[in-house]
Structures are given as C-alpha cells and as structure tokens.
Amino acid sequence: MERLAASYRLDYDVRARDYVSGGEVSSALRAILKQLSLPPDLVRRCCVACYEAEMNIIIHSFGGHMSIEIFPDRLEMIAQDSGPGIEDLQKAMQEGYSTASEEAREMGFGAGMGLPNIKANTDYFDIQTGKEGTTLTMKVLFLKKEGE
Amino acid sequence: MSIKVSDLLKHNFTLIAGEGGLNKDVDDVYICDLLSWVMAKAKQKSAWITIQSHVNIVAVALMADLSCIIIAEGVEAEKETIDHANEEGLPVLNYAGSSYEAAIELYHLLTT
Ligand SMILES: Nc1ncnc2c1ncn2[C@@H]1O[C@H](COP(=O)(O)OP(=O)(O)O)[C@@H](O)[C@H]1O
Ligand SMILES: [Mg+2]
C-alpha cells in the first residue's frame, strides 16, 4: 500500500434538506482515498460511513458541518450539526428505527440503517447529542495491527 | 462467469448515462429501493436494480463501489441523475420490465 506523504483535510458545510447536494462531501473524500490506492473495501467503509453521516445532517438536522482528516494510517471524521438532537439515542441506534419525513422516505432514505451502518463500518464511533446539536466522531484505521 | 457492464447492452438493458464505466466488472446483483440497505448489503461490483431515479442513487452506488445502476419498470431517470452519472462515469441503464425480470436476465448472463 502506498504511504501518504502528507495528511489531507476536508471541511464542508452541509445544508438541511439540500438533497441534491447530498453526497458532495463523501464524493470528495472518495476522490482522495482512490488516489491513495487504498484497498477498495477500505474505501467503501470510509465512504459509506461518511455518506450516512452527511445525509443524516441533511435529513434530520437544522444544518451542520463535516471535518475530515486523512492521516497516513487512519481517517478521522467529525459530523456536527446545530440541532434538534436525537430524542432517544438508544432507539436511534436500532436497525429500522427512523423518524425520517415522508419526503425523505419516498427517495429511499429513512430505512433506519444509517447509524448502524456507521457503527459497522468504522473502528471508532462516538455520538454526543442534545437539543443544541449532534456530534458524531468516527475513525477508520488503514493499517491493522498483526492478529487483528 | 465474469461479465462487464457493456455485456448488458446486448440484452434488454439500455444505457442512458455513464458510458465511461462500461468496462466495470459485474460480479453480483442486488435489488432494493432503500438506500441505506443497499450500502449495508450489496456486495462490491454488484449491478444494482432499483426503481429510484433521483440523483442520490449515483452517490450511493459510488460509495458502495457498485458497478452500475439498473432502473427497472421503465422509470425515467431525472436529468440531474444522468448528468451526475456522466460526470462520474457510472453506468445507468434502463430496463422496461420488472426488477424480477431484470434479475432473471442477469442471472442467465452471470451463469452461462
Ligand atoms: N444528525 C441528526 N440529528 C437529529 N436526529 C438524528 C440525526 N441523525 C440521526 N437522527 C435520528 O436517528 C434516527 C436513526 O438514524 P439512522 O439510523 O441514520 O436512520 P434514518 O436516517 O434512515 O432515519 C433518525 O430517524 C433520527 O430520528
Ligand atoms: Mg440516516
């Protein structure tokens, strides 16, 4: 695997209900990861986690921001929005639970699989939520230690 | 057998966008209209059959590393979808029949 000389940083504002721009952040991330010739399954894990976090800001929040840093050995992403927060985090983490609008559901969003998908595709996942907003911190490791 | 997206064009699939990706391999098929479900379950290099036609399906296919999108039931793709797929070189194909019929055609292509 090619080693990264420098680290990359992406910063994007994500607007609420802006479905047409949905995937802009994840597409930019994908473009960089592909250049680094990382294994395709690793690229997919990073991109799926990023896309789900990005779409959750669009679908469920008042708007937010994504900060992404790509280091030689890992990806770190922070998805932060300004509310309204997740009412019942335990339920939200369950597969199939969704409060998505009819509009979002008609487009095929709202399967209630986004947060579970993020968890499954990342090596580290933390979620902090309250009325003032939700912050997701996600990490994907590029190089696993022996035996992992 | 290993097939390419271009092989579908000899059958009842019509290319409507993303010509640049015709050389992609197709190893598997996945049918679903729920986007997160596709990203969770579809295997890489799958042909994805759906009746969704809005622009977000292009990003979903790219993120999940799928080979092409087949829009079944003759549903027309939106202009944004076509433009985005062309930019990204992600083949989008139209199929007049049902998802089931599309899957049968693909099954024969993949197994003979
Ligand atoms: N950024 C967010 N702000 C507010 N609520 C959220 C946010 N992300 C997720 N949620 C809540 O958690 C639920 C489950 O999220 P998710 O698993 O991504 O499924 P889906 O997006 O399909 O509804 C959502 O329906 C919503 O109620
Ligand atoms: Mg979601």
Side-chain angles (χ1 to χ4, degrees):
Chain A
M1 193 193 304
E2 231 173 86
R3 286 299 190 101
L4 252 171
S7 59
Y8 292 73
R9 196 185 163 97
L10 291 173
D11 274 288
Y12 276 87
D13 286 329
V14 181
R15 287 186 301 274
R17 256 50 87 202
D18 185 7
Y19 294 98
V20 175
S21 303
E24 206 175 86
V25 185
S26 337
S27 296
L29 171 66
R30 179 173 170 272
I32 296 177
L33 295 178
K34 290 211 96 175
Q35 270 177 29
L36 304 174
S37 29
L38 292 166
D41 59 318
L42 198 57
V43 176
R44 167 167 154 151
R45 284 174 54 211
C46 296
C47 290
V48 167
C50 183
Y51 185 76
E52 293 286 13
E54 182 181 356
M55 289 314 304
N56 275 359
I57 297 179
I58 293 174
I59 296 168
H60 305 294
S61 89
F62 301 146
H65 186 87
M66 290 194 69
S67 303
I68 301 176
E69 271 189 288
I70 305 163
F71 298 100
D73 63 337
R74 70 191 186 282
L75 169 76
E76 294 193 5
M77 302 189 280
I78 296 173
Q80 193 162 28
D81 66 58
S82 50
I86 301 175
E87 208 160 295
D88 188 333
L89 187 54
Q90 209 180 334
K91 272 193 194 158
M93 285 305 301
Q94 284 169 12
E95 286 188 9
Y97 176 84
S98 176
T99 63
S101 65
E102 192 54 40
E103 181 191 24
R105 281 172 202 269
E106 272 173 18
M107 297 173 80
F109 296 108
M113 294 277 288
L115 294 174
N117 270 357
I118 295 172
K119 192 166 197 282
N121 283 295
T122 52
D123 295 298
Y124 174 85
F125 170 52
D126 177 68
I127 179 162
Q128 299 293 328
T129 188
K131 283 194 177 58
E132 60 298 327
T134 300
T135 303
L136 266 62
T137 308
M138 299 159 277
K139 291 180 196 172
V140 178
L141 308 179
F142 297 160
L143 307 160
K144 296 264 162 116
K145 292 193 197 87
E146 293 285 319
E148 257 183 281
Chain B
M1 211 189 92
S2 166
I3 62 164
K4 304 255 180 213
V5 177
S6 56
D7 292 321
L8 307 196
L9 303 184
K10 295 169 214 146
H11 296 264
N12 290 310
F13 302 90
T14 314
L15 185 75
I16 53 171
E19 196 179 355
L22 281 178
N23 211 25
K24 288 178 193 271
D25 293 316
V26 177
D27 291 351
D28 204 343
V29 180
Y30 194 78
I31 309 177
C32 191
D33 300 318
L34 297 176
L35 308 183
S36 289
W37 206 267
V38 173
M39 287 188 290
K41 307 275 183 177
K43 293 197 186 79
Q44 289 173 267
K45 300 189 182 182
S46 288
W48 171 27
I49 305 174
T50 182
I51 53 164
Q52 298 288 357
S53 59
H54 56 81
V55 66
N56 299 75
I57 60 176
V58 177
V60 168
L62 291 171
M63 298 314 134
D65 199 16
L66 310 181
S67 299
C68 66
I69 303 173
I70 296 165
I71 305 179
E73 303 284 7
V75 173
E76 272 186 44
E78 288 159 29
K79 188 183 176 298
E80 291 86 358
T81 310
I82 292 172
D83 291 345
H84 193 35
N86 280 331
E87 279 162 29
E88 296 283 357
L90 181 87
V92 178
L93 301 97
N94 198 275
Y95 187 80
S98 68
S99 296
Y100 172 65
E101 288 159 343
I104 290 175
E105 282 206 43
L106 287 168
Y107 175 80
H108 287 302
L109 271 167
L110 283 163
T111 53
T112 54

